[in-house]
Amino acid sequence: EAGVTQFPSHSVIEKGQTVTLRCDPISGHDNLYWYRRVMGKEIKFLLHFVKESKQDESGMPNNRFLAERTGGTYSTLKVQPAELEDSGVYFCASSQDLAGAQYFGAGTRLSVL
Amino acid sequence: AQSVTQPDIHITVSEGASLELRCNYSYGATPYLFWYVQSPGQGLQLLLKYFSGDTLVQGIKGFEAEFKRSQSSFNLRKPSVHWSDAAEYFCAVGSLMNSGYSTLTFGKGTMLLVSP
């Protein structure tokens, strides 16, 4: 069974540009989460989808971040326009049950120059 | 709000020696506790989890962790470390909300170095 996959693995963009990250959860997992780790800091929660609905987006830093989950399958996280402080590793995770263990992807390393 | 403390940023252990990574949490109710490992170039891999029941939890790769409510701790142990265990280890607490879902709060991670 395929795990959580994220694309791209690494993205380098200039300040002011737009970047879209993609996450494909484990098949059958209704719950999808986005997390972010800024250098030197903890991994922090961004938002949670149940199927196609946003359950909690309290961790989203600001309105430059937009997450979608079309049809309850894969999810995208768009940053527009990107700022220097958005640099970090963005992780996606999925789980089958609401309180179940979350399985993580390899992450997307975003570098904003 | 819940929090997780991993007091050791780096730990160096000789190959074959025993290992204990410390984790303390702050959470009002019974926590869901997890240990994840991230090897270089890899994603976060779940090592083990504690939801309820037996406080000594066995995980993959020979790891175990013990939940101690009185000390608010969930330390990770391994009796004999292998060079392939060199990685960054994260402790996390899951919070069960009224709506039934759980988000994870992570510690800052402990980088394990294994010396020959």
PDB file of all heavy atoms in Angstrom, chain A residues 4-5 22-34 49-53 68-76 92-94:
ATOM      1  N   VAL A   4       1.805   8.166   2.264  1.00  0.00           N
ATOM      2  CA  VAL A   4       1.479   9.551   1.943  1.00  0.00           C
ATOM      3  C   VAL A   4       2.581  10.092   1.038  1.00  0.00           C
ATOM      4  O   VAL A   4       3.768   9.961   1.360  1.00  0.00           O
ATOM      5  CB  VAL A   4       1.378  10.397   3.221  1.00  0.00           C
ATOM      6  CG1 VAL A   4       1.123  11.855   2.875  1.00  0.00           C
ATOM      7  CG2 VAL A   4       0.287   9.857   4.142  1.00  0.00           C
ATOM      8  N   THR A   5       2.188  10.656  -0.093  1.00  0.00           N
ATOM      9  CA  THR A   5       3.180  11.186  -1.019  1.00  0.00           C
ATOM     10  C   THR A   5       2.996  12.682  -1.180  1.00  0.00           C
ATOM     11  O   THR A   5       1.863  13.183  -1.214  1.00  0.00           O
ATOM     12  CB  THR A   5       3.097  10.497  -2.391  1.00  0.00           C
ATOM     13  OG1 THR A   5       1.752  10.572  -2.867  1.00  0.00           O
ATOM     14  CG2 THR A   5       3.510   9.050  -2.292  1.00  0.00           C
ATOM     15  N   ARG A  22       1.537  19.748  -3.123  1.00  0.00           N
ATOM     16  CA  ARG A  22       0.488  18.742  -3.257  1.00  0.00           C
ATOM     17  C   ARG A  22       0.737  17.587  -2.308  1.00  0.00           C
ATOM     18  O   ARG A  22       1.887  17.208  -2.045  1.00  0.00           O
ATOM     19  CB  ARG A  22       0.435  18.225  -4.694  1.00  0.00           C
ATOM     20  CG  ARG A  22      -0.526  17.042  -4.863  1.00  0.00           C
ATOM     21  CD  ARG A  22      -0.757  16.662  -6.288  1.00  0.00           C
ATOM     22  NE  ARG A  22      -1.452  15.379  -6.383  1.00  0.00           N
ATOM     23  CZ  ARG A  22      -2.337  15.065  -7.322  1.00  0.00           C
ATOM     24  NH1 ARG A  22      -2.634  15.957  -8.266  1.00  0.00           N
ATOM     25  NH2 ARG A  22      -2.915  13.890  -7.340  1.00  0.00           N
ATOM     26  N   CYS A  23      -0.357  17.016  -1.827  1.00  0.00           N
ATOM     27  CA  CYS A  23      -0.291  15.862  -0.934  1.00  0.00           C
ATOM     28  C   CYS A  23      -1.317  14.829  -1.370  1.00  0.00           C
ATOM     29  O   CYS A  23      -2.509  15.145  -1.521  1.00  0.00           O
ATOM     30  CB  CYS A  23      -0.579  16.275   0.501  1.00  0.00           C
ATOM     31  SG  CYS A  23      -0.848  14.882   1.636  1.00  0.00           S
ATOM     32  N   ASP A  24      -0.871  13.586  -1.527  1.00  0.00           N
ATOM     33  CA  ASP A  24      -1.769  12.466  -1.785  1.00  0.00           C
ATOM     34  C   ASP A  24      -1.786  11.588  -0.540  1.00  0.00           C
ATOM     35  O   ASP A  24      -0.765  10.966  -0.214  1.00  0.00           O
ATOM     36  CB  ASP A  24      -1.318  11.675  -3.003  1.00  0.00           C
ATOM     37  CG  ASP A  24      -1.590  12.416  -4.299  1.00  0.00           C
ATOM     38  OD1 ASP A  24      -0.853  13.386  -4.600  1.00  0.00           O
ATOM     39  OD2 ASP A  24      -2.548  12.037  -4.993  1.00  0.00           O
ATOM     40  N   PRO A  25      -2.915  11.514   0.142  1.00  0.00           N
ATOM     41  CA  PRO A  25      -2.957  10.731   1.385  1.00  0.00           C
ATOM     42  C   PRO A  25      -3.024   9.236   1.083  1.00  0.00           C
ATOM     43  O   PRO A  25      -3.153   8.822  -0.073  1.00  0.00           O
ATOM     44  CB  PRO A  25      -4.256  11.208   2.032  1.00  0.00           C
ATOM     45  CG  PRO A  25      -5.137  11.540   0.872  1.00  0.00           C
ATOM     46  CD  PRO A  25      -4.212  12.102  -0.179  1.00  0.00           C
ATOM     47  N   ILE A  26      -2.937   8.448   2.121  1.00  0.00           N
ATOM     48  CA  ILE A  26      -3.135   7.014   1.984  1.00  0.00           C
ATOM     49  C   ILE A  26      -4.579   6.770   1.557  1.00  0.00           C
ATOM     50  O   ILE A  26      -5.505   7.395   2.098  1.00  0.00           O
ATOM     51  CB  ILE A  26      -2.826   6.293   3.312  1.00  0.00           C
ATOM     52  CG1 ILE A  26      -1.323   6.411   3.623  1.00  0.00           C
ATOM     53  CG2 ILE A  26      -3.262   4.835   3.270  1.00  0.00           C
ATOM     54  CD1 ILE A  26      -0.931   5.902   4.992  1.00  0.00           C
ATOM     55  N   SER A  27      -4.759   5.889   0.597  1.00  0.00           N
ATOM     56  CA  SER A  27      -6.083   5.609   0.070  1.00  0.00           C
ATOM     57  C   SER A  27      -7.047   5.186   1.186  1.00  0.00           C
ATOM     58  O   SER A  27      -6.713   4.318   2.011  1.00  0.00           O
ATOM     59  CB  SER A  27      -5.998   4.496  -0.975  1.00  0.00           C
ATOM     60  OG  SER A  27      -7.276   4.173  -1.473  1.00  0.00           O
ATOM     61  N   GLY A  28      -8.206   5.816   1.219  1.00  0.00           N
ATOM     62  CA  GLY A  28      -9.201   5.471   2.228  1.00  0.00           C
ATOM     63  C   GLY A  28      -9.127   6.300   3.489  1.00  0.00           C
ATOM     64  O   GLY A  28     -10.005   6.196   4.356  1.00  0.00           O
ATOM     65  N   HIS A  29      -8.096   7.119   3.612  1.00  0.00           N
ATOM     66  CA  HIS A  29      -7.973   7.981   4.793  1.00  0.00           C
ATOM     67  C   HIS A  29      -8.764   9.266   4.568  1.00  0.00           C
ATOM     68  O   HIS A  29      -8.432  10.077   3.706  1.00  0.00           O
ATOM     69  CB  HIS A  29      -6.506   8.307   5.067  1.00  0.00           C
ATOM     70  CG  HIS A  29      -5.760   7.197   5.723  1.00  0.00           C
ATOM     71  ND1 HIS A  29      -4.520   7.385   6.313  1.00  0.00           N
ATOM     72  CD2 HIS A  29      -6.078   5.893   5.895  1.00  0.00           C
ATOM     73  CE1 HIS A  29      -4.109   6.230   6.818  1.00  0.00           C
ATOM     74  NE2 HIS A  29      -5.035   5.311   6.571  1.00  0.00           N
ATOM     75  N   ASP A  30      -9.799   9.462   5.380  1.00  0.00           N
ATOM     76  CA  ASP A  30     -10.626  10.647   5.245  1.00  0.00           C
ATOM     77  C   ASP A  30      -9.976  11.882   5.854  1.00  0.00           C
ATOM     78  O   ASP A  30     -10.270  13.007   5.469  1.00  0.00           O
ATOM     79  CB  ASP A  30     -11.978  10.433   5.928  1.00  0.00           C
ATOM     80  CG  ASP A  30     -12.868   9.462   5.161  1.00  0.00           C
ATOM     81  OD1 ASP A  30     -12.630   9.261   3.955  1.00  0.00           O
ATOM     82  OD2 ASP A  30     -13.806   8.917   5.771  1.00  0.00           O
ATOM     83  N   ASN A  31      -9.101  11.672   6.845  1.00  0.00           N
ATOM     84  CA  ASN A  31      -8.494  12.787   7.556  1.00  0.00           C
ATOM     85  C   ASN A  31      -7.144  13.135   6.942  1.00  0.00           C
ATOM     86  O   ASN A  31      -6.292  12.262   6.762  1.00  0.00           O
ATOM     87  CB  ASN A  31      -8.296  12.437   9.027  1.00  0.00           C
ATOM     88  CG  ASN A  31      -9.613  12.186   9.732  1.00  0.00           C
ATOM     89  OD1 ASN A  31     -10.304  13.107  10.127  1.00  0.00           O
ATOM     90  ND2 ASN A  31      -9.986  10.910   9.850  1.00  0.00           N
ATOM     91  N   LEU A  32      -6.971  14.398   6.632  1.00  0.00           N
ATOM     92  CA  LEU A  32      -5.724  14.875   6.040  1.00  0.00           C
ATOM     93  C   LEU A  32      -5.283  16.122   6.793  1.00  0.00           C
ATOM     94  O   LEU A  32      -6.088  17.013   7.067  1.00  0.00           O
ATOM     95  CB  LEU A  32      -5.927  15.178   4.555  1.00  0.00           C
ATOM     96  CG  LEU A  32      -4.672  15.530   3.731  1.00  0.00           C
ATOM     97  CD1 LEU A  32      -4.854  15.084   2.291  1.00  0.00           C
ATOM     98  CD2 LEU A  32      -4.334  17.001   3.810  1.00  0.00           C
ATOM     99  N   TYR A  33      -4.021  16.151   7.153  1.00  0.00           N
ATOM    100  CA  TYR A  33      -3.468  17.238   7.956  1.00  0.00           C
ATOM    101  C   TYR A  33      -2.272  17.857   7.238  1.00  0.00           C
ATOM    102  O   TYR A  33      -1.508  17.167   6.565  1.00  0.00           O
ATOM    103  CB  TYR A  33      -2.976  16.716   9.317  1.00  0.00           C
ATOM    104  CG  TYR A  33      -3.997  15.955  10.123  1.00  0.00           C
ATOM    105  CD1 TYR A  33      -4.261  14.611   9.873  1.00  0.00           C
ATOM    106  CD2 TYR A  33      -4.682  16.569  11.172  1.00  0.00           C
ATOM    107  CE1 TYR A  33      -5.187  13.915  10.628  1.00  0.00           C
ATOM    108  CE2 TYR A  33      -5.611  15.872  11.930  1.00  0.00           C
ATOM    109  CZ  TYR A  33      -5.851  14.543  11.652  1.00  0.00           C
ATOM    110  OH  TYR A  33      -6.772  13.847  12.409  1.00  0.00           O
ATOM    111  N   TRP A  34      -2.101  19.143   7.435  1.00  0.00           N
ATOM    112  CA  TRP A  34      -0.883  19.844   7.013  1.00  0.00           C
ATOM    113  C   TRP A  34      -0.173  20.368   8.257  1.00  0.00           C
ATOM    114  O   TRP A  34      -0.818  20.930   9.168  1.00  0.00           O
ATOM    115  CB  TRP A  34      -1.195  21.005   6.083  1.00  0.00           C
ATOM    116  CG  TRP A  34      -1.543  20.612   4.677  1.00  0.00           C
ATOM    117  CD1 TRP A  34      -2.788  20.472   4.136  1.00  0.00           C
ATOM    118  CD2 TRP A  34      -0.624  20.349   3.604  1.00  0.00           C
ATOM    119  NE1 TRP A  34      -2.698  20.133   2.810  1.00  0.00           N
ATOM    120  CE2 TRP A  34      -1.390  20.049   2.446  1.00  0.00           C
ATOM    121  CE3 TRP A  34       0.775  20.336   3.501  1.00  0.00           C
ATOM    122  CZ2 TRP A  34      -0.804  19.734   1.223  1.00  0.00           C
ATOM    123  CZ3 TRP A  34       1.345  20.029   2.284  1.00  0.00           C
ATOM    124  CH2 TRP A  34       0.565  19.731   1.169  1.00  0.00           C
ATOM    125  N   PHE A  49      -8.362  18.481   7.268  1.00  0.00           N
ATOM    126  CA  PHE A  49      -9.525  18.193   6.430  1.00  0.00           C
ATOM    127  C   PHE A  49     -10.163  16.885   6.885  1.00  0.00           C
ATOM    128  O   PHE A  49      -9.468  15.923   7.210  1.00  0.00           O
ATOM    129  CB  PHE A  49      -9.120  17.983   4.962  1.00  0.00           C
ATOM    130  CG  PHE A  49      -8.801  19.236   4.206  1.00  0.00           C
ATOM    131  CD1 PHE A  49      -7.487  19.640   4.024  1.00  0.00           C
ATOM    132  CD2 PHE A  49      -9.812  19.995   3.634  1.00  0.00           C
ATOM    133  CE1 PHE A  49      -7.185  20.780   3.303  1.00  0.00           C
ATOM    134  CE2 PHE A  49      -9.510  21.135   2.909  1.00  0.00           C
ATOM    135  CZ  PHE A  49      -8.195  21.530   2.739  1.00  0.00           C
ATOM    136  N   VAL A  50     -11.483  16.851   6.867  1.00  0.00           N
ATOM    137  CA  VAL A  50     -12.202  15.585   6.904  1.00  0.00           C
ATOM    138  C   VAL A  50     -12.908  15.490   5.557  1.00  0.00           C
ATOM    139  O   VAL A  50     -13.799  16.293   5.247  1.00  0.00           O
ATOM    140  CB  VAL A  50     -13.227  15.514   8.038  1.00  0.00           C
ATOM    141  CG1 VAL A  50     -13.984  14.191   7.978  1.00  0.00           C
ATOM    142  CG2 VAL A  50     -12.547  15.678   9.387  1.00  0.00           C
ATOM    143  N   LYS A  51     -12.470  14.540   4.783  1.00  0.00           N
ATOM    144  CA  LYS A  51     -12.889  14.457   3.368  1.00  0.00           C
ATOM    145  C   LYS A  51     -12.572  15.801   2.720  1.00  0.00           C
ATOM    146  O   LYS A  51     -11.448  16.269   2.778  1.00  0.00           O
ATOM    147  CB  LYS A  51     -14.347  14.039   3.280  1.00  0.00           C
ATOM    148  CG  LYS A  51     -14.588  12.631   3.846  1.00  0.00           C
ATOM    149  CD  LYS A  51     -16.028  12.179   3.666  1.00  0.00           C
ATOM    150  CE  LYS A  51     -16.200  10.768   4.241  1.00  0.00           C
ATOM    151  NZ  LYS A  51     -17.593  10.282   4.128  1.00  0.00           N
ATOM    152  N   GLU A  52     -13.567  16.439   2.112  1.00  0.00           N
ATOM    153  CA  GLU A  52     -13.273  17.699   1.417  1.00  0.00           C
ATOM    154  C   GLU A  52     -13.483  18.925   2.284  1.00  0.00           C
ATOM    155  O   GLU A  52     -13.231  20.054   1.853  1.00  0.00           O
ATOM    156  CB  GLU A  52     -14.115  17.806   0.148  1.00  0.00           C
ATOM    157  CG  GLU A  52     -15.607  17.982   0.384  1.00  0.00           C
ATOM    158  CD  GLU A  52     -16.328  16.663   0.615  1.00  0.00           C
ATOM    159  OE1 GLU A  52     -15.640  15.621   0.746  1.00  0.00           O
ATOM    160  OE2 GLU A  52     -17.562  16.675   0.702  1.00  0.00           O
ATOM    161  N   SER A  53     -13.919  18.727   3.525  1.00  0.00           N
ATOM    162  CA  SER A  53     -14.258  19.860   4.381  1.00  0.00           C
ATOM    163  C   SER A  53     -13.121  20.226   5.324  1.00  0.00           C
ATOM    164  O   SER A  53     -12.478  19.353   5.913  1.00  0.00           O
ATOM    165  CB  SER A  53     -15.497  19.521   5.224  1.00  0.00           C
ATOM    166  OG  SER A  53     -16.594  19.240   4.389  1.00  0.00           O
ATOM    167  N   GLU A  68      -6.775  23.379  -0.208  1.00  0.00           N
ATOM    168  CA  GLU A  68      -7.974  22.787  -0.789  1.00  0.00           C
ATOM    169  C   GLU A  68      -7.824  21.269  -0.823  1.00  0.00           C
ATOM    170  O   GLU A  68      -6.711  20.756  -0.852  1.00  0.00           O
ATOM    171  CB  GLU A  68      -8.197  23.318  -2.212  1.00  0.00           C
ATOM    172  CG  GLU A  68      -8.499  24.808  -2.253  1.00  0.00           C
ATOM    173  CD  GLU A  68      -8.691  25.322  -3.667  1.00  0.00           C
ATOM    174  OE1 GLU A  68      -7.987  24.854  -4.573  1.00  0.00           O
ATOM    175  OE2 GLU A  68      -9.551  26.207  -3.852  1.00  0.00           O
ATOM    176  N   ARG A  69      -8.959  20.613  -0.873  1.00  0.00           N
ATOM    177  CA  ARG A  69      -8.956  19.155  -1.008  1.00  0.00           C
ATOM    178  C   ARG A  69     -10.128  18.774  -1.903  1.00  0.00           C
ATOM    179  O   ARG A  69     -11.235  18.523  -1.454  1.00  0.00           O
ATOM    180  CB  ARG A  69      -9.056  18.467   0.343  1.00  0.00           C
ATOM    181  CG  ARG A  69      -8.792  16.962   0.236  1.00  0.00           C
ATOM    182  CD  ARG A  69      -8.862  16.266   1.580  1.00  0.00           C
ATOM    183  NE  ARG A  69      -8.545  14.858   1.425  1.00  0.00           N
ATOM    184  CZ  ARG A  69      -8.754  13.940   2.359  1.00  0.00           C
ATOM    185  NH1 ARG A  69      -9.296  14.304   3.521  1.00  0.00           N
ATOM    186  NH2 ARG A  69      -8.442  12.683   2.154  1.00  0.00           N
ATOM    187  N   THR A  70      -9.825  18.733  -3.177  1.00  0.00           N
ATOM    188  CA  THR A  70     -10.843  18.494  -4.183  1.00  0.00           C
ATOM    189  C   THR A  70     -11.365  17.068  -4.101  1.00  0.00           C
ATOM    190  O   THR A  70     -10.587  16.112  -4.184  1.00  0.00           O
ATOM    191  CB  THR A  70     -10.272  18.750  -5.584  1.00  0.00           C
ATOM    192  OG1 THR A  70      -9.695  20.061  -5.613  1.00  0.00           O
ATOM    193  CG2 THR A  70     -11.359  18.636  -6.632  1.00  0.00           C
ATOM    194  N   GLY A  71     -12.669  16.918  -3.964  1.00  0.00           N
ATOM    195  CA  GLY A  71     -13.289  15.604  -3.961  1.00  0.00           C
ATOM    196  C   GLY A  71     -12.869  14.721  -2.814  1.00  0.00           C
ATOM    197  O   GLY A  71     -13.093  13.502  -2.842  1.00  0.00           O
ATOM    198  N   GLY A  72     -12.239  15.300  -1.832  1.00  0.00           N
ATOM    199  CA  GLY A  72     -11.831  14.516  -0.671  1.00  0.00           C
ATOM    200  C   GLY A  72     -10.679  13.574  -0.934  1.00  0.00           C
ATOM    201  O   GLY A  72     -10.454  12.634  -0.166  1.00  0.00           O
ATOM    202  N   THR A  73      -9.935  13.821  -2.017  1.00  0.00           N
ATOM    203  CA  THR A  73      -8.790  12.947  -2.312  1.00  0.00           C
ATOM    204  C   THR A  73      -7.498  13.686  -1.984  1.00  0.00           C
ATOM    205  O   THR A  73      -7.183  13.866  -0.813  1.00  0.00           O
ATOM    206  CB  THR A  73      -8.810  12.525  -3.786  1.00  0.00           C
ATOM    207  OG1 THR A  73      -8.874  13.698  -4.616  1.00  0.00           O
ATOM    208  CG2 THR A  73     -10.030  11.648  -4.067  1.00  0.00           C
ATOM    209  N   TYR A  74      -6.785  14.152  -3.015  1.00  0.00           N
ATOM    210  CA  TYR A  74      -5.527  14.833  -2.749  1.00  0.00           C
ATOM    211  C   TYR A  74      -5.792  16.249  -2.263  1.00  0.00           C
ATOM    212  O   TYR A  74      -6.902  16.774  -2.403  1.00  0.00           O
ATOM    213  CB  TYR A  74      -4.652  14.842  -4.010  1.00  0.00           C
ATOM    214  CG  TYR A  74      -5.165  15.728  -5.110  1.00  0.00           C
ATOM    215  CD1 TYR A  74      -4.772  17.054  -5.217  1.00  0.00           C
ATOM    216  CD2 TYR A  74      -6.053  15.231  -6.059  1.00  0.00           C
ATOM    217  CE1 TYR A  74      -5.246  17.868  -6.221  1.00  0.00           C
ATOM    218  CE2 TYR A  74      -6.537  16.042  -7.068  1.00  0.00           C
ATOM    219  CZ  TYR A  74      -6.134  17.357  -7.148  1.00  0.00           C
ATOM    220  OH  TYR A  74      -6.622  18.156  -8.145  1.00  0.00           O
ATOM    221  N   SER A  75      -4.778  16.855  -1.710  1.00  0.00           N
ATOM    222  CA  SER A  75      -4.890  18.216  -1.194  1.00  0.00           C
ATOM    223  C   SER A  75      -3.763  19.068  -1.757  1.00  0.00           C
ATOM    224  O   SER A  75      -2.675  18.561  -2.066  1.00  0.00           O
ATOM    225  CB  SER A  75      -4.816  18.219   0.329  1.00  0.00           C
ATOM    226  OG  SER A  75      -4.799  19.549   0.842  1.00  0.00           O
ATOM    227  N   THR A  76      -4.045  20.352  -1.910  1.00  0.00           N
ATOM    228  CA  THR A  76      -3.013  21.310  -2.289  1.00  0.00           C
ATOM    229  C   THR A  76      -2.936  22.414  -1.251  1.00  0.00           C
ATOM    230  O   THR A  76      -3.939  22.768  -0.621  1.00  0.00           O
ATOM    231  CB  THR A  76      -3.294  21.931  -3.672  1.00  0.00           C
ATOM    232  OG1 THR A  76      -4.577  22.570  -3.637  1.00  0.00           O
ATOM    233  CG2 THR A  76      -3.260  20.876  -4.765  1.00  0.00           C
ATOM    234  N   CYS A  92       2.624  16.678   5.204  1.00  0.00           N
ATOM    235  CA  CYS A  92       1.236  16.252   5.110  1.00  0.00           C
ATOM    236  C   CYS A  92       1.102  14.920   5.836  1.00  0.00           C
ATOM    237  O   CYS A  92       2.044  14.108   5.830  1.00  0.00           O
ATOM    238  CB  CYS A  92       0.855  16.103   3.642  1.00  0.00           C
ATOM    239  SG  CYS A  92      -0.809  15.472   3.349  1.00  0.00           S
ATOM    240  N   ALA A  93      -0.018  14.711   6.475  1.00  0.00           N
ATOM    241  CA  ALA A  93      -0.277  13.453   7.165  1.00  0.00           C
ATOM    242  C   ALA A  93      -1.715  13.040   6.930  1.00  0.00           C
ATOM    243  O   ALA A  93      -2.575  13.881   6.645  1.00  0.00           O
ATOM    244  CB  ALA A  93      -0.009  13.598   8.667  1.00  0.00           C
ATOM    245  N   SER A  94      -1.976  11.757   7.042  1.00  0.00           N
ATOM    246  CA  SER A  94      -3.356  11.287   6.935  1.00  0.00           C
ATOM    247  C   SER A  94      -3.627  10.234   7.994  1.00  0.00           C
ATOM    248  O   SER A  94      -2.697   9.581   8.489  1.00  0.00           O
ATOM    249  CB  SER A  94      -3.658  10.740   5.532  1.00  0.00           C
ATOM    250  OG  SER A  94      -3.001   9.506   5.292  1.00  0.00           O
TER     251      SER A  94
END
